[in-house]
Amino acid sequence: DAGVTQSPTHLIKTRGQQVTLRCSPKSGHDTVSWYQQALGQGPQFIFQYYEEEERQRGNFPDRFSGHQFPNYSSELNVNALLLGDSALYLCASSSLRDTQYFGPGTRLTVL
Amino acid sequence: TQLLEQSPQFLSIQEGENLTVYCNSSSVFSSLQWYRQEPGEGPVLLVTVVTGGEVKKLKRLTFQFGDARKDSSLHITAAQPGDTGLYLCAGGRNTDKLIFGTGTRLQVFP
């Protein structure tokens, strides 16, 4: 049984570019949450998707957007990248009202 | 804003020593999770506590949820080098957003 998978593993972009990160949830899970983890800090909640709708959002600008597909996989899009967007982006999946399980993350570096 | 403060931020100890990590908040959480994270990887769930005063044991790790569900502690007995990592507490309400603590970086030397 595959756990949460994320792609790509690493990504290097330049300021102003756009990036798309992908997440496949654990089998049986229908909810996907995205977190940003800056170096040396705990993860910060970006948003959560359930039934292809954004269910809850953290304190992140509109440059951060997402999507959930009918197969429950999800994408995180970030537009107009800033140096401060460099971080480990984590996807977590769950069944509604249950524990979240994290993927290995995508390391984004913005130059 | 719910904030979770962890202490200490950094801990370097010798193999065989005991340690306790604290996670404190001014807010009440319906549940609290503890995760361990290795460099470059995602957090791995260690335990979930949901009842005030609850104590859970996982081999040499003991987790406690405060009576008021505002704080928690993680105690490791006879630490081993394999315990090295970033320990994160996270509070939430069901599967709403998890509020993560600031993290405790543990280094256990052989």
Side-chain angles (χ1 to χ4, degrees):
Chain A
D1 176 28
V4 181
T5 59
Q6 292 186 244
S7 64
T9 306
H10 296 88
L11 204 51
I12 299 175
K13 292 285 187 178
T14 57
R15 280 179 298 174
Q17 284 190 311
Q18 178 265 344
V19 68
T20 297
L21 310 181
R22 296 176 176 82
C23 171
S24 291
K26 187 177 167 66
S27 178
H29 286 178
D30 56 12
T31 302
V32 173
S33 303
W34 287 92
Y35 294 80
Q36 179 195 66
Q37 186 176 22
L39 199 61
Q41 298 183 20
Q44 300 287 319
F45 176 80
I46 302 175
F47 41 53
Q48 184 181 79
Y49 277 85
Y50 171 69
E51 291 188 341
E52 302 179 50
E53 298 279 338
E54 184 182 290
R55 185 165 168 265
Q56 194 169 11
R57 189 178 182 92
N59 189 26
F60 278 80
D62 291 344
R63 299 187 296 109
F64 289 77
S65 63
H67 188 77
Q68 186 178 34
F69 298 94
N71 67 353
Y72 308 119
S73 67
S74 177
E75 288 182 350
L76 163 65
N77 301 292
V78 187
N79 294 322
L81 284 167
L82 304 174
L83 295 179
D85 294 332
S86 294
L88 181 67
Y89 286 85
L90 295 164
C91 167
S93 76
S94 59
S95 297
L96 198 61
R97 310 297 179 198
D98 204 351
T99 302
Q100 295 182 31
Y101 293 87
F102 284 83
T106 293
R107 170 71 61 189
L108 172 65
T109 301
V110 182
L111 302 177
Chain B
T1 303
Q2 296 172 318
L3 294 176
L4 280 169
E5 296 286 339
Q6 283 186 240
S7 62
Q9 273 191 295
F10 302 96
L11 200 51
S12 292
I13 60 173
Q14 292 295 126
E15 182 175 3
E17 292 186 30
N18 301 331
L19 67 113
T20 301
V21 177
Y22 299 93
C23 175
N24 296 295
S25 174
S26 58
S27 300
V28 175
F29 291 96
S30 60
S31 68
L32 197 136
Q33 289 86 44
W34 284 93
Y35 293 84
R36 189 176 86 189
Q37 186 176 24
E38 305 282 347
E41 298 182 10
V44 175
L45 180 69
L46 297 174
V47 77
T48 299
V49 285
V50 296
T51 305
E54 182 177 5
V55 177
K56 281 192 174 180
K57 291 191 174 184
L58 186 67
K59 297 183 180 178
R60 294 177 293 100
L61 278 60
T62 301
F63 305 85
Q64 184 163 9
F65 202 10
D67 290 341
R69 290 185 290 130
K70 293 182 178 181
D71 56 87
S72 181
S73 63
L74 158 61
H75 183 79
I76 301 179
T77 303
Q80 298 177 0
D83 295 327
T84 294
L86 178 68
Y87 288 81
L88 294 160
C89 63
R93 297 183 294 111
N94 300 319
T95 55
D96 289 346
K97 62 180 181 180
L98 287 176
I99 306 296
F100 277 86
T102 46
T104 295
R105 189 162 298 280
L106 171 66
Q107 177 78 54
V108 182
F109 293 97

